[in-house]
Amino acid sequence: MEELLAPLLCGIDYAHGGGKTMPLTTPDLQLLSERMQVRAEEMKDRVFATVKSRYSKITELARRASTAALDVETVDSQLRALLDDSSLRIGDTSFDSKLWKLSAEVKGIRSELRVKTSALAVVKSTVEVRDRLLAGKELFDGGQILSGARKIAEVKGIVDDDDEDTLLMHELLKQLLSGIYSEVDFLLAGLCSKVVSVNFTEGILAVNFVTVAGSRHNFVAILETMEVLGLLDGFLGRFTDNLCKLLALLVHSATVVRVEQDSDRAVLRITRDENARVNQSSIEGVYKEVLDFVKFINEHLLHRQKVWMLKLGRSIWPRLADMIIQNHLRKAIPADHTQFQHFEQIQILTSEFEEALEAENFVSVDDEGGLLSNFTADVEIHFSANKRKDLLAKARDIIMRFDYRLLLDMAAEREEKDRLIFREDKYVVSYLPKQLLPIVQDTLKDACSSTPRLALELYKVARDIVLLYRAIVPSQVLVSDKSSVKAAPVFYNDCLYIANELTTYSQQYSSSLPVDLQQSCTLMDLVSVFQSMGYNMLSTHVKLINNQLLQALDSANGFKSTDERRGRERAQSALQQVVSIFRSTHNVWQEFLPSSFQVKQLTMLADSLVSRIVFEVLSIKDMAAEETVQLHNLLDELILDLGSVLASVEKHSRKSLDILVPSWRKLKRLSELLEMSLRPITKAWESGILPSAGFSPAEVQSLIKAIFTDTSLRAECLERIV
């Protein structure tokens, strides 16, 4: 700092004798400030003069920078050197503006340079990639298909990169790469057709060696090339389809495999064996021919390349195994569980076959290699599945062919009835459970002599047959019951019969099942199900009949106006219809249902019917003399007709109708009241005859008011009836 101030302090005492430690005085500082101002003006003038004198040189440098972008750095360094030559003080406006413009021009030149440099790099890279792509294609055409494919694949990886810096290159090379790929794919497909040829009509698979541009290629080399190019999956799909078609010839019909070979060609021929039969030996023959086919593929097509053999097997084996299962193993499943011993030889052959395939690297234990062995090991499951299918189809056919509307004539002609265990009554049972339950019984018998695994499956089959009846038949009965009153009673008997038989089966076969299944495999839980199902159906049937009886009564119009011909005929017709429905129901029930049920249900229906008739008669507010006479006649006729229907019920139960049908006595007393005078009615009340028949004071009073006119005698009688 002292060296910089020394020239400015020249002539001041500080510089000549004041000493370095002496502080400057105010006049000294003022003088120093003036000298610095003068010196700054001088420096500004010198910088301006320098720039002005060299202006043409500066503009020339800028022009050269715009035309020769590579010299920008030189121009910049020269400009910096030029400006560094002078102690320039920024302050002149015109100079600042020119300098700013010059800087902007330099910046634009630099930006243009970067763009052109980047474009040049892209062009250069594109040319390099194109050359590599063409070089790969040239190698491929020259017979080095694997090396050429690798170069093409490398280029494809570069082109597939969608980075912004390579987007332009991607678009330029995409069309070229697509064309080369199509051409290479076509060439590889042509090579494959030359190496491998298939004739499905004659059953021929031929393998050849081919030469491309002096290089000899086999099938493995073609596969490796396809894998590098990403074309393998599509080709393998088509190729394995063709092999599976040839294998289908081996599996679906009895055939023989022959192999012919020379130095450049190997041929496999599949010919039909007319003497072969479909049996155990046919399965052994199929295994042998398929194994010969696999060995041919491994030896002549893939040249024992383990990796490629496993890949090919992974594509073929699931379909091949399914063909063998469907065409041979499934048909070899025993029809009877006692024949399982004969199936053991097939299990051994199957295991040996899969071991041979594994030795040929066609299957792997870790990759579903035991599909056939797993199937044969589950022979009991397959047997039970077949059994289930057959038995359920048979049971369903029996059920669907059965019609409760058509069986009844047959049932009516039968004199023999079935006596069920644990029940005193005899039942008329349709032939449906008689055909269905023997199937269940036979299935349970087979379960008792089977292994635990098979016994469980057979038990499920027997149970499902019973449940099939439960699922289908009730809906059929509901439809049939609307057109025939016989359907529900027979169904009720059938349900009781099935419940009875299931109880018998449970006691008969449970102890003979394998020990582990004796507690769990029982049909006893279905016994209550069928009993409830029968009772519910019969209850629905009884409600339907009761509704029919009440609907018939509705046409009587409350038994009003019976003194008129039209009203009398209407009431008489309604009662006749009621008696007809009741008699028809009684006849059917007497034919099909046990007597204990008849007594209970018929008396219940009769009580409901009689109660309704009594109520409607007592509800009449006014009766003419003739009307009471007609009502008396109608009720007497009803008592006579309905009593004759209920006579058998009365006889069977050994009880009078007055006890069996609580409202029956009330109906008879009502008929008597309709022809009695006031005093006898009053006397019958006071003696307890009417109350014991079920009449209330209000009912008797209402009847008296309806029949008799208002007199002092009626008033007296009404007062006494309390």
Side-chain angles (χ1 to χ4, degrees), residues 459-470:
Y459 160 76
K460 292 178 180 178
V461 174
R463 187 180 181 89
D464 287 344
I465 293 172
V466 179
L467 293 176
L468 188 66
Y469 178 95
R470 178 193 177 192

Side-chain angles (χ1 to χ4, degrees), residues 16 31 34 77 85-86 99 144 208 215 281 287 318-319 414 421 540 544 555 574 612 615 633 649 664 675 681:
H16 295 283
L31 178 60
E34 292 176 355
S77 62
D85 287 344
S86 304
L99 189 60
Q144 302 179 43
N208 309 288
S215 299
S281 61
Y287 286 165
R319 285 183 282 181
R414 291 186 52 192
I421 301 176
T540 302
L544 177 64
S555 62
R612 168 74 179 275
F615 172 77
N633 295 335
V649 176
W664 186 255
E675 62 176 2
I681 293 176

Side-chain angles (χ1 to χ4, degrees), residues 320-357:
L320 174 59
D322 185 66
M323 285 190 288
I324 294 174
I325 289 172
Q326 299 302 328
N327 290 275
H328 294 278
L329 294 182
R330 192 172 294 281
K331 295 178 180 178
I333 294 173
D336 191 288
H337 69 285
T338 59
Q339 301 175 357
F340 283 164
Q341 270 188 328
H342 303 294
F343 195 79
E344 291 179 358
Q345 183 60 32
I346 294 178
Q347 291 176 321
I348 295 173
L349 291 173
T350 301
S351 179
E352 293 175 349
F353 172 64
E354 288 182 336
E355 289 175 359
L357 292 180

Side-chain angles (χ1 to χ4, degrees), residues 238-252:
R238 297 188 298 270
F239 182 69
T240 53
D241 284 344
N242 290 335
L243 291 184
C244 286
K245 291 178 182 178
L246 285 177
L247 286 169
L249 297 177
L250 291 176
V251 174
H252 287 85

Side-chain angles (χ1 to χ4, degrees), residues 365-380:
V365 176
D366 299 330
D367 194 18
E368 297 185 347
L371 291 176
L372 300 183
S373 295
N374 292 339
F375 181 88
T376 56
D378 292 335
V379 61
E380 293 178 340

Side-chain angles (χ1 to χ4, degrees), residues 542-613:
V542 171
K543 290 178 182 178
L544 177 64
I545 294 175
N546 188 55
N547 290 336
Q548 292 176 353
L549 292 171
L550 296 180
Q551 288 176 4
L553 277 181
D554 288 341
S555 62
N557 194 26
F559 298 97
K560 298 175 182 178
S561 305
T562 53
D563 55 333
E564 299 177 0
R565 180 169 174 266
R566 184 175 180 182
R568 183 169 58 253
E569 290 177 350
R570 182 169 55 235
Q572 188 175 18
S573 174
L575 292 177
Q576 288 175 352
Q577 186 179 359
V578 165
V579 173
S580 175
I581 295 173
F582 206 88
R583 180 177 286 109
S584 174
T585 302
H586 172 263
N587 292 337
V588 172
W589 288 6
Q590 189 176 30
E591 180 182 354
F592 293 102
L593 291 176
S595 56
S596 58
F597 181 85
Q598 296 178 45
V599 172
K600 181 180 178 180
Q601 297 299 329
L602 283 174
T603 54
M604 184 188 70
L605 284 176
D607 187 60
S608 173
L609 175 65
V610 171
S611 297
R612 168 74 179 275
I613 295 172

